[in-house]
Every structure is written in C-alpha cells, then in structure tokens.
Amino acid sequence: MDIKHAKDYLYWLYFQYLLITCCYVLEPWEQSMFHTIFITVFAMVVYTGYVFVPIHIHLAFEFFSQIFGGQHESTVAIMN
Amino acid sequence: APFFMLPLSANFFHWIYKNGISNGGLYKRPFNEHFEQAPMYVAVFTYLGFGVGTLFGYLRDFMRAWGLEKCHLATEREEQKDFVPLYQDFENFYTRNLYMRIRDNWNRPICSVPGPQFDLMERVTDDFNWTFRFTGRCIKDVINMGSYNYLGFAETDANALKTVADVLQRYGTGVCSTRQEMGNIDKHVELENLVARFLDVEAAMVFGMGFATNSMNIPALVGKGCLILSDELNHTSLVLGARLSGATIRVFKHNNMQSLEKLLRDAIAHGQPRSHRAWKKILILVEGIYSMEGSIVRLPEIVTLKKKYKAYLYLDEAHSIGAVGPTGRGVVEYFGMDPDDVDVLMGTFTKSFGAAGGYIAGKKELVDFLRTHSHSATYATSMCPPVAEQIIRAMKCVMGLDGTTQGLQRVCQLSENTRYFRQRLHEMGFIVYGNDDSPVVPLLLYMPGKIGAFARRMLDKNIGVVVVGFPATPIGESRARFCVSAAHTREMLDTVLNALDELGDFLHLKYSRHSRSSHPELYNETSFELED
C-alpha cells in the first residue's frame, strides 16, 4: 500500500512537471528532447553548486569573522 | 458565520455595517465581485510554459520551412515566396503551434439537444490533431456545463413545443425576404409587442441574429462626429459595430467608473480632436453580464454619470436577460431601476430563451427610426416563424402568462443553482472571477498545459466544459467557463463539483488564498475535542 502511495505521488510530481513546463502538449519526440535538455541543465547546476558553494561559504565566513573578531588571523591560514 | 448563511435582510445590514454605504446608497443590495490575483509563481510558470511552447513552435516552423516535416497547413505557393508573407504574424504562429496541439477540446460535434445533458460524437486523431476521424460511437449523457442554457428552454418535450410545431406546420421554415420587403410576419409583430411588455418599455424590434443586431444597428445610431465610450472587455459584435459606424472610440477600464467619468469630462471639456467642437452624441456601450469575466455592470453609477454628463447608454443584455433579476427581466430589474433610464436596451434570445436572434427596445421614436434606418432590417433576412414562436412561448412562460408558475420557478432555480455552485467553488479554494449572482462562472487555470489536461479529464469523467485561452482572454489568464442552468439538478451539480474537487487536487488548481477548509463536513461536528 505504501509503495502504491509512493508511486502515485511520484507520478503526480512528474505530471506537475509536465504541466508546468507545458511538456504535456508536446509530441513524444519533443518531450524526450525537452527532458534531455532539462536534465542536462539541471545536472550542470547541481554539479556547479556542489563544487563551488561550500568554498564560497567558507571564504565568506572567514571574511566576516575577520572584520568582527580576529585581528590575529594571518592570511596564510585561509588556504587549507 | 459565513456571510451567505444569514437571512437576506440580516445579510444586508451586516454588509452595510462592514462596508458602509458607498456612492450615497445607489445600490439597494450588496455588490460582491471578486477578481483575486494568483500567487506570483503561477504567473512565472505560465509565462515559462508559453516560452517553452514558443521555442518548440520555432523549431517546428524551421523544420516545416526546410522540408524536414510535412506541412499540413495553408502556405504560399512557390511563386509567391518573394512577396510579403501571408502567414507570419503571431496569431497564425500561435494557431499553428499552440492551438493545434490541444485543438481536440473545441468544436466537438454534439448529436442531441444541448440541454443539461447531451450526447457527443467520439473523435480520435492519429496525427496529433491535424485530422480527426469519428469512431462511430456516441458518448451518452455528458453533463453540459458549457451551453448558454440559463433557463433550461433547450428542451425537446413535445408538450412544451406544441405551439412551435403548429407554427411550423402553418408557416414553414423559410422567410425568404428581408423585414422591409416581404418578411414582416404577424409573428414578428406579436413577438415585438411581447418583448416590449416583458421589458416594460414602449416598443421593441427583433432581428434574426444576435451578433448582427449589434454590428448592424450601432452604425445606424451613431456616425462620424460622435463619441463612443466602450468598456475594455466588450464583445466583438459591439466592437465591430462601433468600428463600422465611423465614430471616435475611446475605451475605459473594465467596470471602472472613475475611468469612465474621466473620459466623459475630457470629452465634454475638449470636444472633438482638432476642431474642439462639441461632440454630436456620446454613447456609452456596456454589457449586462460580461461573459468572460462573469462580472455585472455597475448600472446605477453609469446611469447617474449619464444623466450628469448628458450621454446616451446602450446596454447589451445578451447574457443577463432572463438570467438575473427576481423575475428574470435582466440587470435593470436586478438593480431595481427604471428601464426608461437606459436609452437603448439590446439583448439576444440565444441564451436564456433557447432560440436565435436579438432585439433592440426603448422609446417608440428610437424603434421607429431603426425600422427604417437599420442595415439589418433592410438587408438581412428576418427571423423565421418557428423560432419566433419558441421565443414567444418561452417569454410567456417566464412572465407567467401561460397560467403556470414554471417560469418563475426556473428563474429561482437558476439563482439558487448559481449561488450554490459559486459558494462551493469558493470553499474548495479555486479562483473564480465575477459577481456572486452571475450564472457565468469562470474558473482560472492560468497555465497552458492545464487547459488541455483539464478539458480532456473532465470529458473522461463525462462532463463537458468549455475552456478558453488566448486570444479570447489575456495571455496569462486562461480559464474554464461554466454556465449554470436552471435545468441542472442538485445531483448533477454535486457530480460536477466532486469531479472538480478531485481534478483540482490532481492538477493543483486551488490557488485561492482566501479559501476556507476544502472539507466542509467539519462544520457539522458537534465538538472539536479529540476522542479519548
């Protein structure tokens, strides 16, 4: 029963994606083309986020803590 | 307690207590209109959907132009390719690439009378809506939420149509002439006297087609040197009539009295554009109920403005005659006003009377003028006698002249159905436009993908609806338009509402942020304590 609910919910999510991006009205080959492009772009966004976001947050944290607290911080300590 | 559950007079005092009396007490009853805006993400997704559709449209046009795909449409011939292009404007692009994909939801052939239920012919398409073929099957008893059958006169009951059958035997079907030549039949005179009595005016004139009534008579009433002030959302027939007349047209915002007053003041202060002479006539064109919005015109305010600035008023009651008002006499009766205040009363018989044709009513001088000067009377075939008899019998039924109270019952049933349907839709959380008393109920869908999905799934549940998108509505506000009828029983409305509830959850259409609970059974609970 739980599996059926989960499958129904996933199908509902997939259907919402089709409606929102107007893929519902496209022919099957156009839908495949759109899915490919969309998944590629989404994968690139996720990868970029994974590579760059933690480093940027860490640097920003260091920058702001330098302003408020530590004059003792040396510039050598940043690169780890 | 919810507003509509209080009795009527308590309703009214409650409303005055909350809202105060606006406009110096012009309105004798509460005027509730809603045009709720959807959350911002809905607009973003709508434009995103149209963007994706447009991109794929360009791709398909490219493929058609380079011969990679067979072109099913009309194109120019090889020799004409160097000329100015015929099919490149946005409207054709939209038709080719977006409308074609969901075209199976429109022009569905029906094969029975469009009463509260009807039969549809089943159509399938093998090549994505470019061509259709009939399977031969007939889908029976589809609940009809799209026909303009407000009082339920679209019926085939032999007893009810007895007089119509007699007239058909006596007169035949064709008139074969125009009104001014040999087409003036005694049925027309009888009908015109009845219409004048129904509307409580001096005289009326009937025409064979509702659209032609507007487009052919406005040019007879105004001409060059006159000013037409027309509502933003007026019907095409009014716009066509206004343009054909040659008068200057200025548009005011929909149902917005400040905008109208500003235009009137400018017109009177500055006069005609270059010569600054006074305008010969100022005509205000409004409709009783606007069919795409479901809103009712603010008639008391317009009549006050027209009297103050000495303009004329043309009221198109196509959807409101028979459908609003305590005895079905239209918006003039709905607001409790005097029909003499409106200069030209126009209406159609297509919607509430189950026939075809239109009328113009007003003072006797006006109607006599139109008998000689109207283009429709001179050139168009007049109304055929069986149709005239159908209108006569329907109107006599509504007025009570046939000795029964059936007409009044129909009007009351319609207003009850309207109130119930709108109240339930609001409770469920849909965004519904328009006035609480109008039987036209537009339910907003917004996204282009949902237009096709909604109509198809409702048909799978055996309910026929009309969905509208661009260009009949603004591009970001596509909707499904329901027309409540007096012939709908409570069970039919409940079936439709349950289907809408389910479909609203499945397609995620319940955007309203003012809604109450979507499960009203909780209001009947005696206590809200947890059971131990």
Side-chain angles (χ1 to χ4, degrees), chain A residues 11-12 15-16 18-31 33-34 37, chain B residues 45 49 52 56 59-60 63 101-102 128 447-450 453 456-457 505-508:
Chain A
Y11 177 74
W12 183 81
F15 197 70
Q16 294 304 308
L18 284 183
L19 287 177
I20 286 173
T21 56
C22 198
C23 264
Y24 175 81
V25 304
L26 298 176
E27 296 177 22
W29 62 271
E30 288 169 332
Q31 280 194 359
M33 190 198 281
F34 185 85
I37 297 176
Chain B
F45 287 147
V52 169
F56 276 98
L59 174 69
R60 297 296 291 270
M63 287 170 59
R101 296 183 193 272
I102 44 176
F128 300 105
M447 295 175 208
K450 295 191 183 181
R456 283 174 199 152
R457 282 179 190 254
D505 286 327
F506 186 65
L507 294 178
H508 195 61

Side-chain angles (χ1 to χ4, degrees), chain B residues 3 22 36 109 128 157 176 236:
Chain B
F3 174 72
S22 61
E36 193 187 332
F128 300 105
D157 179 26
C176 311
T236 314

Side-chain angles (χ1 to χ4, degrees), chain B residues 138-190:
Chain B
C138 207
I139 310 176
K140 295 235 169 256
D141 290 335
V142 179
I143 297 182
N144 186 359
M145 294 306 291
S147 290
Y148 304 132
N149 186 20
Y150 299 132
L151 291 178
F153 282 116
E155 55 196 355
T156 45
D157 179 26
N159 277 336
L161 295 179
K162 196 170 165 325
T163 46
V164 180
D166 289 338
V167 165
L168 184 61
Q169 289 277 30
R170 245 184 85 193
Y171 291 89
T173 50
V175 183
C176 311
S177 185
T178 66
R179 196 72 195 273
Q180 283 185 0
E181 291 173 10
M182 294 273 275
N184 194 13
I185 301 180
D186 55 351
K187 281 286 161 206
H188 296 144
V189 178
E190 189 188 334

Side-chain angles (χ1 to χ4, degrees), chain B residues 276-519:
Chain B
H276 292 291
R277 288 189 207 164
W279 293 102
K280 283 197 219 151
K281 253 183 268 198
I282 301 183
L283 186 67
I284 305 175
L285 288 183
V286 284
E287 288 187 40
I289 293 186
Y290 291 90
S291 64
M292 277 303 152
E293 311 286 308
S295 51
I296 296 184
V297 66
R298 291 177 186 274
L299 197 61
E301 293 175 62
I302 292 195
V303 166
T304 321
L305 277 176
K306 139 193 135 89
K307 284 182 178 161
K308 180 175 171 189
Y309 293 103
K310 308 237 184 340
Y312 295 106
L313 181 57
Y314 184 107
L315 179 65
D316 177 349
E317 289 206 81
H319 285 267
S320 54
I321 190 74
V324 289
T327 57
R329 305 305 211 242
V331 278
V332 173
E333 199 199 15
Y334 175 75
F335 288 112
M337 303 184 62
D338 186 9
D340 290 333
D341 286 336
V342 182
D343 302 292
V344 188
L345 284 155
M346 179 266 169
T348 60
F349 301 116
T350 335
K351 278 81 181 189
S352 299
F353 299 101
Y359 67 85
I360 289 201
K363 295 261 178 305
K364 191 163 187 315
E365 292 93 33
L366 169 75
V367 176
D368 286 342
F369 176 82
L370 279 179
R371 285 191 207 281
T372 40
H373 288 85
S374 162
H375 299 271
S376 185
T378 323
Y379 298 108
T381 322
S382 51
M383 191 185 273
C384 75
V387 171
E389 181 56 33
Q390 157 71 7
I391 304 167
I392 291 174
R393 77 119 187 141
M395 217 172 244
K396 282 188 174 162
C397 182
V398 173
M399 290 166 82
L401 294 175
D402 59 344
T404 66
T405 54
Q406 204 198 55
L408 200 54
Q409 275 174 356
R410 285 179 192 244
V411 175
C412 292
Q413 179 70 31
L414 174 66
S415 79
E416 199 186 302
N417 281 354
T418 307
R419 259 201 304 272
Y420 175 67
F421 197 69
R422 277 184 172 265
Q423 177 196 338
R424 284 288 304 273
L425 283 181
H426 273 295
E427 273 174 15
M428 283 186 207
F430 291 103
I431 295 188
V432 174
Y433 275 5
N435 195 303
D436 279 338
D437 289 316
S438 100
V440 178
V441 185
L443 189 149
L444 274 280
L445 299 172
Y446 295 105
M447 295 175 208
K450 295 191 183 181
I451 305 175
F454 186 83
R456 283 174 199 152
R457 282 179 190 254
M458 286 298 266
L459 189 58
D460 288 337
K461 294 185 202 278
N462 242 22
I463 300 170
V465 296
V466 169
V467 284
V468 224
F470 181 80
T473 63
I475 198 161
E477 287 177 19
S478 43
R479 55 200 74 174
R481 185 182 65 177
F482 298 99
C483 293
V484 184
S485 161
H488 284 135
T489 59
R490 191 51 82 95
E491 290 80 36
M492 284 185 215
L493 290 181
D494 281 335
T495 318
V496 175
L497 286 164
N498 290 334
L500 280 175
D501 201 1
E502 220 180 290
L503 207 54
D505 286 327
F506 186 65
L507 294 178
H508 195 61
L509 288 171
K510 299 185 179 178
Y511 300 120
S512 177
R513 285 171 284 192
H514 302 318
S515 71
R516 271 154 285 136
S517 155
S518 57
H519 299 285

